[in-house]
Amino acid sequence: MRFIFHYPETGGAEGDVLDAGPLGEVAVAAERAGFGGFSLSEHPAPGARWLGAGGHQTLDPFVSLGYAAALTERIRLITYLSVAPYRNPMLLAKAAATLDKLSGGRAILGIGTGYLKGEFHAVGVDFDERNQLFDEALDVLPLHWKGEPFSYTGTHFSARDVQARPAPVQQPIPIWIGGNSALSRRRVARAAHGWIPMSGGAELSGTARTPELGGIEELSRKIAGIRESAASSGRAEHIDLVYSYSHPGLTGPGADPGPHREAFRELARAGVDWIVVSTRAGVHETLDPAVTFDFLAEFGATYIDG
């Protein structure tokens, strides 16, 4: 079992996105605590109403992870998630390849189809085309990363005998796909290296336009189905299952690690490879760097080294 620390997200328009602590120092502390991954999400132009009703601020994940890469040595650098339809797939591939090259092969590209209609309008992308654009990105990414000449005609672009150099260190960069739908799971089985289901319950599922995940048994059944489908199509590589775990009593005074350790063991038995944890302030609440650094040190000592 490996753990990812998701950089804490400032809820609402008040406060600052870095209230949780200097990003580079947080990444270094996460690596020191034994975390296997460090992640950031993406919302380039969210609606003010969404932001004020529980949404969160973000940085550009590729720029931010590139900065974190310069200060760390081992931790994996993960977009969790980048919205693939927002970018021409050549630009998405180049951003990920650059991060991978500069980090010495530590990038993981987590991608989703996106769900905020207003944000699609703001960046000039047709919301109704998001699934088609997402599938085109899945086709283009490995072609681009090979560093060899290729051609591809998409909905809004035509690449003729292009060649992207330098190639990334990893061949290919691992792709993790987010979402709970049957379509998302089929995409994972066909072309990805990991699945990121959304575990936030009915309200989050409704906002993100994806079905509810279900319980642990259902999660286990679904990841087994993904892996079986991938194997039956001739894919031999392991497909990671990434699960977000949120509980206010993970660390701090009076925390009882026993139930959480058992929960982690249960998730491992269900097929989970990576668990994502974080701290976060709600709208009108304030993040504190001391809380972030204390959480990282305590979580590492209790659940990673303990």
Side-chain angles (χ1 to χ4, degrees), residues 98-124:
T98 300
L99 175 61
D100 195 65
K101 186 73 172 179
L102 296 179
S103 68
R106 291 188 281 141
I108 296 176
L109 182 63
I111 51 176
T113 55
Y115 58 87
L116 292 178
K117 281 188 176 182
E119 193 164 63
F120 274 84
H121 295 320
V123 299

Short mmCIF file of all heavy atoms in Angstrom, two decimals, residues 98-124:
data_model
loop_
_atom_site.label_atom_id
_atom_site.label_comp_id
_atom_site.label_asym_id
_atom_site.label_seq_id
_atom_site.Cartn_x
_atom_site.Cartn_y
_atom_site.Cartn_z
N THR A 98 7.28 16.90 -20.37
CA THR A 98 8.25 17.82 -19.78
C THR A 98 8.41 17.56 -18.29
O THR A 98 9.53 17.49 -17.76
CB THR A 98 7.80 19.27 -20.03
OG1 THR A 98 7.70 19.51 -21.44
CG2 THR A 98 8.80 20.25 -19.41
N LEU A 99 7.28 17.41 -17.59
CA LEU A 99 7.33 17.10 -16.16
C LEU A 99 8.08 15.80 -15.92
O LEU A 99 8.91 15.69 -15.01
CB LEU A 99 5.91 17.01 -15.60
CG LEU A 99 5.78 16.58 -14.14
CD1 LEU A 99 6.47 17.57 -13.22
CD2 LEU A 99 4.31 16.43 -13.77
N ASP A 100 7.82 14.79 -16.74
CA ASP A 100 8.48 13.50 -16.56
C ASP A 100 9.97 13.59 -16.83
O ASP A 100 10.78 13.03 -16.10
CB ASP A 100 7.84 12.47 -17.50
CG ASP A 100 8.21 11.05 -17.12
OD1 ASP A 100 7.80 10.60 -16.02
OD2 ASP A 100 8.91 10.38 -17.91
N LYS A 101 10.33 14.32 -17.87
CA LYS A 101 11.75 14.46 -18.22
C LYS A 101 12.52 15.19 -17.13
O LYS A 101 13.59 14.76 -16.70
CB LYS A 101 11.87 15.21 -19.55
CG LYS A 101 13.29 15.30 -20.10
CD LYS A 101 13.75 13.97 -20.64
CE LYS A 101 15.09 14.11 -21.35
NZ LYS A 101 15.57 12.79 -21.86
N LEU A 102 11.97 16.30 -16.67
CA LEU A 102 12.68 17.11 -15.68
C LEU A 102 12.72 16.46 -14.31
O LEU A 102 13.62 16.75 -13.51
CB LEU A 102 12.04 18.50 -15.60
CG LEU A 102 12.13 19.36 -16.86
CD1 LEU A 102 11.43 20.70 -16.65
CD2 LEU A 102 13.58 19.57 -17.29
N SER A 103 11.76 15.59 -14.03
CA SER A 103 11.72 14.93 -12.72
C SER A 103 12.45 13.60 -12.72
O SER A 103 12.49 12.92 -11.68
CB SER A 103 10.27 14.71 -12.28
OG SER A 103 9.63 13.75 -13.11
N GLY A 104 12.99 13.20 -13.84
CA GLY A 104 13.68 11.91 -13.90
C GLY A 104 12.74 10.73 -13.94
O GLY A 104 13.08 9.64 -13.44
N GLY A 105 11.56 10.91 -14.51
CA GLY A 105 10.62 9.79 -14.68
C GLY A 105 9.68 9.59 -13.51
O GLY A 105 9.36 8.45 -13.17
N ARG A 106 9.19 10.69 -12.92
CA ARG A 106 8.34 10.57 -11.74
C ARG A 106 6.89 11.04 -11.97
O ARG A 106 6.10 11.10 -11.03
CB ARG A 106 8.95 11.35 -10.57
CG ARG A 106 10.23 10.74 -10.05
CD ARG A 106 10.68 11.42 -8.77
NE ARG A 106 11.36 12.68 -9.01
CZ ARG A 106 11.21 13.76 -8.26
NH1 ARG A 106 10.38 13.75 -7.23
NH2 ARG A 106 11.89 14.86 -8.52
N ALA A 107 6.53 11.35 -13.20
CA ALA A 107 5.19 11.88 -13.47
C ALA A 107 4.15 10.77 -13.57
O ALA A 107 4.43 9.67 -14.06
CB ALA A 107 5.19 12.69 -14.77
N ILE A 108 2.95 11.07 -13.08
CA ILE A 108 1.77 10.25 -13.33
C ILE A 108 0.68 11.21 -13.79
O ILE A 108 0.40 12.20 -13.10
CB ILE A 108 1.31 9.47 -12.08
CG1 ILE A 108 2.38 8.46 -11.66
CG2 ILE A 108 -0.01 8.76 -12.35
CD1 ILE A 108 2.05 7.72 -10.36
N LEU A 109 0.09 10.92 -14.93
CA LEU A 109 -0.93 11.80 -15.49
C LEU A 109 -2.31 11.29 -15.13
O LEU A 109 -2.81 10.35 -15.73
CB LEU A 109 -0.77 11.90 -17.01
CG LEU A 109 -1.76 12.83 -17.72
CD1 LEU A 109 -1.56 14.28 -17.26
CD2 LEU A 109 -1.61 12.71 -19.24
N GLY A 110 -2.90 11.90 -14.11
CA GLY A 110 -4.29 11.61 -13.78
C GLY A 110 -5.19 12.54 -14.58
O GLY A 110 -5.00 13.75 -14.58
N ILE A 111 -6.16 11.98 -15.29
CA ILE A 111 -7.01 12.79 -16.15
C ILE A 111 -8.48 12.42 -15.97
O ILE A 111 -8.83 11.30 -15.61
CB ILE A 111 -6.63 12.65 -17.65
CG1 ILE A 111 -6.55 11.18 -18.07
CG2 ILE A 111 -5.34 13.38 -17.95
CD1 ILE A 111 -6.27 10.98 -19.56
N GLY A 112 -9.34 13.40 -16.23
CA GLY A 112 -10.77 13.19 -16.20
C GLY A 112 -11.43 13.94 -17.34
O GLY A 112 -10.78 14.75 -18.02
N THR A 113 -12.72 13.69 -17.54
CA THR A 113 -13.43 14.37 -18.62
C THR A 113 -13.90 15.76 -18.22
O THR A 113 -14.19 16.58 -19.09
CB THR A 113 -14.66 13.55 -19.06
OG1 THR A 113 -15.49 13.30 -17.93
CG2 THR A 113 -14.24 12.24 -19.68
N GLY A 114 -13.98 16.06 -16.93
CA GLY A 114 -14.46 17.35 -16.48
C GLY A 114 -15.97 17.36 -16.30
O GLY A 114 -16.69 16.54 -16.88
N TYR A 115 -16.46 18.34 -15.51
CA TYR A 115 -17.89 18.36 -15.23
C TYR A 115 -18.48 19.76 -15.08
O TYR A 115 -19.70 19.90 -15.04
CB TYR A 115 -18.18 17.56 -13.95
CG TYR A 115 -17.45 18.05 -12.72
CD1 TYR A 115 -17.99 19.05 -11.91
CD2 TYR A 115 -16.23 17.51 -12.36
CE1 TYR A 115 -17.34 19.50 -10.78
CE2 TYR A 115 -15.56 17.95 -11.22
CZ TYR A 115 -16.12 18.94 -10.44
OH TYR A 115 -15.46 19.38 -9.33
N LEU A 116 -17.67 20.81 -14.99
CA LEU A 116 -18.20 22.15 -14.82
C LEU A 116 -18.48 22.79 -16.18
O LEU A 116 -17.56 23.19 -16.90
CB LEU A 116 -17.21 23.02 -14.04
CG LEU A 116 -16.97 22.66 -12.58
CD1 LEU A 116 -15.93 23.59 -11.97
CD2 LEU A 116 -18.27 22.73 -11.78
N LYS A 117 -19.77 22.90 -16.54
CA LYS A 117 -20.14 23.43 -17.85
C LYS A 117 -19.58 24.84 -18.06
O LYS A 117 -19.06 25.17 -19.13
CB LYS A 117 -21.65 23.46 -18.00
CG LYS A 117 -22.28 22.12 -18.33
CD LYS A 117 -23.76 22.30 -18.66
CE LYS A 117 -24.39 20.98 -19.09
NZ LYS A 117 -25.82 21.15 -19.46
N GLY A 118 -19.71 25.68 -17.04
CA GLY A 118 -19.23 27.05 -17.18
C GLY A 118 -17.74 27.14 -17.45
O GLY A 118 -17.29 28.01 -18.19
N GLU A 119 -16.98 26.23 -16.86
CA GLU A 119 -15.54 26.22 -17.09
C GLU A 119 -15.22 25.80 -18.51
O GLU A 119 -14.31 26.34 -19.14
CB GLU A 119 -14.87 25.30 -16.07
CG GLU A 119 -13.36 25.47 -16.01
CD GLU A 119 -12.77 24.85 -14.75
OE1 GLU A 119 -12.89 23.62 -14.58
OE2 GLU A 119 -12.20 25.60 -13.94
N PHE A 120 -15.97 24.85 -19.04
CA PHE A 120 -15.80 24.48 -20.45
C PHE A 120 -16.05 25.69 -21.35
O PHE A 120 -15.28 25.96 -22.28
CB PHE A 120 -16.75 23.34 -20.82
CG PHE A 120 -16.22 21.97 -20.54
CD1 PHE A 120 -16.32 21.41 -19.28
CD2 PHE A 120 -15.60 21.24 -21.54
CE1 PHE A 120 -15.83 20.14 -19.02
CE2 PHE A 120 -15.10 19.96 -21.29
CZ PHE A 120 -15.21 19.41 -20.02
N HIS A 121 -17.12 26.42 -21.08
CA HIS A 121 -17.41 27.62 -21.88
C HIS A 121 -16.28 28.63 -21.75
O HIS A 121 -15.88 29.26 -22.74
CB HIS A 121 -18.72 28.25 -21.42
CG HIS A 121 -19.93 27.39 -21.65
ND1 HIS A 121 -20.11 26.65 -22.79
CD2 HIS A 121 -21.03 27.18 -20.88
CE1 HIS A 121 -21.26 26.00 -22.72
NE2 HIS A 121 -21.83 26.30 -21.56
N ALA A 122 -15.74 28.79 -20.54
CA ALA A 122 -14.70 29.79 -20.30
C ALA A 122 -13.42 29.49 -21.06
O ALA A 122 -12.72 30.42 -21.49
CB ALA A 122 -14.41 29.90 -18.80
N VAL A 123 -13.09 28.23 -21.22
CA VAL A 123 -11.86 27.87 -21.94
C VAL A 123 -12.12 27.56 -23.41
O VAL A 123 -11.21 27.17 -24.14
CB VAL A 123 -11.14 26.68 -21.27
CG1 VAL A 123 -10.75 27.03 -19.85
CG2 VAL A 123 -11.99 25.42 -21.29
N GLY A 124 -13.38 27.74 -23.85
CA GLY A 124 -13.70 27.60 -25.27
C GLY A 124 -13.82 26.19 -25.77
O GLY A 124 -13.53 25.91 -26.94
#
